[in-house]
């Protein structure tokens, strides 16, 4: 993106004095807060420094002072003061990749994400789906994740190709106007045809930096509706309908209810997961978490049309399901 030239790494052009940059805001960039915009384009600059130059008035919009809550408008001219990045430039090579496309138009890209692929870089992962898609589409002016999926979850992932679409879809999700459904298989004797789970969830970080979630009274209100689709001797295939969208919500709601998702390496039954790695006389092998985002319903941000998109159950999960034979119900 053109903004990358607005800051100069310390290892280059040491004899060239830094100068203020003037950037004109495009349609894709409009609508975001000035502080978020600066944090995005000034990669490597400490957050505290970005807020300092905002407070001091060094950042100007249309030659006037603004505060950190100002929302950018198309055509705004932003003055970015001289900034030198304090850390080495990122030399990580991101291999370009495309994924199975479920839907695409000028506003949206919806893909079927495979399990084992992170949606973005970070937390020990150099790159993810978003970085690979940007690498494969160098001419794309705007491409951002609308929501996230866990690395080991497969299925529908929405990306916005315009900032207006991103803002619209975020509003729909915040206001509960989208419907996201997952297919999952759990261990145990699931009884109810339809079951609501409302357990408050609290996010925390482990000593080694891993992100985890636990049920705690002071946690965020969380609600999942589970419907029984197929029941087997030792397992049950469920559809999970998200009423809220918390981190690891389905996984923790099920584990806390006594029904571990097969293959879940954070909240699951670890001994059972090891057994499932090899097939036996009653079933096939399962070498991943059985959680798949199979359906999403939302309003198209441009046309206003109600859209329902589906992604078929991932092949490895489908093979395991078929291997169980005829269900009991």
């Amino acid at each position: 993106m053109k903004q990358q030239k607005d800051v100069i790494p310390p290892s280059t052009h040491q004899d060239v004095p830094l100068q203020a940059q003037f950037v004109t805001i495009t349609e894709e960039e409009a609508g975001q807060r000035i502080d978020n915009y600066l944090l995005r384009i000034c990669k490597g600059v400490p957050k505290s420094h970005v807020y300092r130059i905002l407070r001091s008035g060094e950042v100007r919009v249309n030659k006037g002072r603004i505060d950190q809550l100002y929302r950018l408008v198309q055509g705004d001219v932003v003055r970015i003061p001289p900034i030198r990045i304090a850390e080495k430039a990122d030399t990580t090579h991101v291999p370009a990749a495309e994924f199975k496309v479920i839907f695409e138009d000028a506003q949206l890209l919806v893909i079927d994400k495979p399990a084992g692929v992170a949606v973005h870089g970070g937390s020990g992962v150099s790159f993810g789906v978003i970085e690979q898609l940007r690498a494969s589409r160098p001419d794309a002016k705007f491409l951002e994740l609308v929501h996230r999926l866990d690395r080991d979850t497969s299925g529908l992932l929405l990306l916005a190709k315009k900032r207006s679409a991103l803002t619209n879809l975020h509003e729909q999700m915040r206001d509960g106007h989208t419907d996201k459904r997952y297919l999952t298989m759990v261990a145990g004797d699931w009884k109810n045809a339809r079951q609501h789970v409302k357990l408050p969830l609290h996010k925390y970080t482990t000593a080694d930096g891993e992100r985890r979630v636990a049920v705690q009274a002071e946690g965020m209100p969380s609600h999942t509706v589970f419907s029984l689709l197929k029941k087997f001797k030792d397992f049950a295939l469920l559809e999970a309908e998200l009423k809220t969208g918390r981190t690891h919500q389905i996984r923790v709601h099920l584990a806390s209810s006594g029904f571990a998702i097969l293959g879940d390496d954070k909240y699951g039954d670890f001994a059972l997961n090891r057994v499932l790695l090899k097939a036996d006389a009653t079933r096939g092998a399962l070498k991943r978490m059985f959680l798949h985002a199979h359906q999403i319903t939302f309003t198209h941000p441009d046309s206003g049309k109600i859209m329902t998109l589906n992604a078929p159950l991932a092949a490895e999960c489908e093979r395991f399901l078929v291997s169980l034979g005829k269900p009991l119900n």
Side-chain angles (χ1 to χ4, degrees):
M1 294 179 65
K2 66 182 173 107
Q3 287 89 348
Q4 295 303 314
K5 66 183 180 183
D6 294 338
V7 286
I8 303 176
S11 59
T12 59
H13 308 300
Q14 290 289 345
D15 56 338
V16 180
L18 291 176
Q19 296 180 335
Q21 301 288 326
F22 293 86
V23 180
T24 301
I25 298 302
T26 65
E27 177 187 358
E28 290 78 18
E29 294 164 333
Q32 59 187 313
R33 275 177 20 182
I34 183 67
D35 56 344
N36 293 331
Y37 172 75
L38 291 171
L39 289 168
R40 183 172 61 81
I41 68 167
C42 299
K43 296 190 184 302
V45 177
K47 188 179 287 189
S48 59
H49 183 65
V50 169
Y51 282 103
R52 186 186 67 75
I53 62 174
L54 274 169
R55 285 194 302 271
S56 67
E58 294 176 71
V59 177
R60 302 250 170 164
V61 176
N62 304 327
K63 299 183 179 180
R65 293 183 67 141
I66 39 82
D67 65 23
Q68 66 192 48
L69 300 180
Y70 175 79
R71 288 196 178 273
L72 294 166
V73 177
Q74 183 179 354
D76 276 351
V77 177
V78 179
R79 178 193 184 273
I80 302 174
I83 299 174
R84 192 179 293 282
I85 297 177
E87 62 181 36
K88 292 189 292 184
D90 184 11
T91 57
T92 302
H93 172 66
V94 177
E98 282 286 342
F99 301 88
K100 181 182 177 182
V101 175
I102 301 297
F103 175 84
E104 184 171 11
D105 66 5
Q107 304 277 331
L108 301 173
L109 170 62
V110 185
I111 65 166
D112 186 354
K113 185 189 86 68
V117 181
V119 295
H120 59 74
S123 300
V125 179
S126 299
F127 55 84
V129 169
I130 185 65
E131 290 87 3
Q132 290 186 285
L133 282 170
R134 285 171 180 159
S136 71
R137 298 171 175 230
D139 296 330
K141 292 182 179 179
F142 185 89
L143 193 60
E144 294 285 352
L145 293 164
V146 174
H147 64 112
R148 289 164 172 72
L149 290 178
D150 292 344
R151 182 176 184 174
D152 296 323
T153 302
S154 55
L156 294 167
L157 182 66
L158 273 63
L159 300 100
K161 295 169 70 174
K162 289 183 178 292
R163 181 162 295 281
S164 57
L166 180 68
T167 303
N168 180 283
L169 287 163
H170 278 170
E171 288 176 356
Q172 290 187 49
M173 290 182 176
R174 185 182 65 241
D175 296 339
H177 295 154
T178 57
D179 184 324
K180 289 193 280 187
R181 305 199 178 201
Y182 295 69
L183 294 174
T184 187
M185 187 167 285
V186 298
D189 183 18
W190 187 276
K191 301 288 188 185
N192 300 325
R194 187 171 169 85
Q195 182 171 325
H196 292 255
V197 176
K198 297 179 180 180
L199 295 171
L201 299 178
H202 170 71
K203 279 196 293 187
Y204 66 98
T205 304
T206 64
D208 56 0
E210 263 201 274
R211 189 178 55 169
R212 292 293 177 93
V213 176
V215 173
Q216 285 189 10
E218 65 274 19
M220 297 290 287
S222 308
H223 182 192
T224 315
V225 182
F226 295 100
S227 298
L228 177 62
L229 300 181
K230 294 181 180 181
K231 188 170 183 176
F232 302 90
K233 180 177 178 289
D234 299 311
F235 310 115
L237 179 69
L238 309 175
E239 182 185 65
E241 177 186 346
L242 288 178
K243 295 297 186 181
T244 54
R246 312 298 180 203
T247 301
H248 298 170
Q249 178 175 317
I250 296 172
R251 300 166 70 174
V252 178
H253 273 180
L254 284 169
S256 298
S257 301
F259 295 90
I261 294 179
L262 304 190
D264 187 341
D265 65 357
K266 280 186 169 66
Y267 310 100
D269 182 332
F270 307 137
L272 175 61
N273 291 346
R274 287 193 294 273
V275 171
L276 292 174
L277 291 174
K278 292 186 178 181
D280 65 19
T282 63
R283 52 152 185 85
L286 182 66
K287 299 182 180 181
R288 56 157 287 183
M289 180 169 66
F290 200 124
L291 184 59
H292 177 78
H294 85 108
Q295 181 174 294
I296 187 166
T297 300
F298 58 93
T299 302
H300 191 282
D302 186 44
S303 69
K305 178 184 176 183
I306 302 295
M307 299 186 64
T308 297
L309 301 175
N310 296 88
L313 187 60
E316 55 270 37
C317 292
E318 180 66 28
R319 285 194 296 269
F320 181 80
L321 176 62
V322 170
S323 77
L324 298 178
K326 189 176 178 180
L328 301 178
N329 56 338

